[in-house]
């Protein structure tokens, strides 16, 4: 059966194809053995399957069915012709079933790949968010600890020590703000969002004004009072 079906693939090289069909036309078992026909067609390589489809005119509606042309040219009885027509229909049906199965497989594979990309993106976002907030927590905890140590060392509060604390507080506000902004910029790159990150100029301006104000007050308290 395999050699018989593959003879259609190389029909241009097989000059005895009409004679082969004539010989099997009276064999009902071969012509109507759908299960074996299906197994052979499902096992064909992609290039062989494409050639078989072209031979039976299944690629498009306007294609010529060369098999029917060969069968019509044979001088055989109506019963034998009916056997060959059944044989051809079984091949066509198996080809259409294989194409349908391949299409479903491609759709399922594409959906699985889409789902995999979504899961991977969610995982990346989760890791990114976790990393950003972990780094943010360490930065804030470190700054609070350093600032607390500075306050603990102020045993004799006066204008100079308070001014020094204000200067340090202003500098730390600027540093922490830019650390946080850097983390958010990194998080945006992890998420793969297009476009550049834009700072909120009003909030940034307020932060800088407050920080500079604290630094100036501290400098005045340390050096000028």
């Amino acid at each position: 059966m395999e050699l018989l079906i593959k003879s259609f693939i190389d029909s241009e090289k097989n000059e005895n194809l009409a004679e082969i069909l004539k010989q099997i036309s009276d064999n009902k078992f071969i012509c109507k053995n759908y299960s074996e026909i299906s197994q052979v067609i499902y096992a064909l390589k992609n290039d062989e399957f494409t050639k078989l489809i072209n031979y039976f005119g299944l690629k498009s509606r306007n294609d010529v069915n060369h098999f029917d042309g060969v069968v019509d040219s044979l001088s055989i009885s109506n019963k034998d012709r009916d056997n060959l027509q059944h044989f051809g229909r079984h091949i066509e049906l198996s080809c259409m079933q294989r194409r349908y199965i391949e299409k479903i497989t491609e759709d399922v594979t594409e959906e699985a790949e889409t789902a995999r990309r979504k899961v991977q993106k969610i995982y990346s976002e989760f890791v990114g968010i976790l990393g950003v907030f972990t780094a943010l927590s360490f930065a804030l905890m470190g700054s609070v600890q350093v600032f607390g140590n500075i306050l603990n060392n102020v045993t004799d509060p006066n204008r100079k020590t308070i001014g020094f604390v204000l200067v340090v507080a202003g500098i730390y506000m600027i540093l922490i703000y830019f650390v946080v902004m850097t983390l958010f910029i990194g998080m945006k790159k992890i998420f793969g969002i297009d476009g550049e990150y834009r700072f909120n100029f009003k909030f940034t301006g307020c932060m800088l004004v407050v920080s500079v104000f604290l630094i100036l007050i501290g400098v005045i308290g340390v050096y000028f009072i």
Side-chain angles (χ1 to χ4, degrees), residues 66-80:
H66 300 284
F67 177 82
D68 288 344
V70 175
V71 173
D72 293 339
S73 66
L74 297 177
S75 299
I76 53 178
S77 64
N78 291 333
K79 183 179 179 180
D80 293 345

Side-chain angles (χ1 to χ4, degrees), residues 38-189:
S38 301
Q39 290 178 4
V40 173
I41 291 177
Y42 292 163
L44 290 176
K45 297 179 181 178
N46 290 333
D47 56 338
E48 294 176 339
F49 181 65
T50 301
K51 292 179 181 179
L52 185 64
I53 288 177
N54 293 334
Y55 182 80
F56 279 85
L58 298 175
K59 191 172 183 180
S60 64
R61 293 183 178 180
N62 298 326
D63 288 349
V64 178
N65 190 331
H66 300 284
F67 177 82
D68 288 344
V70 175
V71 173
D72 293 339
S73 66
L74 297 177
S75 299
I76 53 178
S77 64
N78 291 333
K79 183 179 179 180
D80 293 345
R81 192 180 306 278
D82 182 68
N83 288 336
L84 289 179
Q85 289 175 349
H86 274 86
F87 181 65
R89 285 196 294 269
H90 287 332
I91 292 178
E92 293 175 5
L93 179 60
S94 297
C95 289
M96 288 187 288
Q97 287 177 340
R98 172 170 169 169
R99 291 174 67 179
Y100 179 72
I101 293 172
E102 288 179 348
K103 185 178 183 302
I104 292 178
T105 304
E106 290 177 359
D107 293 340
V108 171
T109 302
E110 184 177 353
E111 291 178 0
E113 181 63 22
T114 302
R116 187 190 67 81
R117 287 196 296 266
K118 288 182 178 179
V119 172
Q120 187 175 7
K121 183 178 180 182
I122 293 173
Y123 178 75
S124 299
E125 291 178 355
F126 175 76
V127 173
I129 293 172
L130 183 62
V132 166
F133 282 101
T134 301
L136 182 60
S137 299
F138 278 114
L140 293 177
M141 289 173 61
S143 62
V144 170
Q145 184 176 2
V146 171
F147 198 66
N149 292 334
I150 294 175
L151 293 177
N152 289 332
N153 292 328
V154 180
T155 56
D156 184 18
N158 53 54
R159 292 178 179 178
K160 289 187 177 182
T161 56
I162 294 175
F164 176 72
V165 170
L166 292 177
V167 171
V168 173
I171 294 174
Y172 259 88
M173 284 184 65
I174 296 175
L175 291 177
I176 292 300
Y177 177 72
F178 282 105
V179 167
V180 172
M181 289 300 101
T182 302
L183 292 175
F184 278 108
I185 292 172
M187 184 170 63
K188 184 176 181 180
K189 290 184 177 180

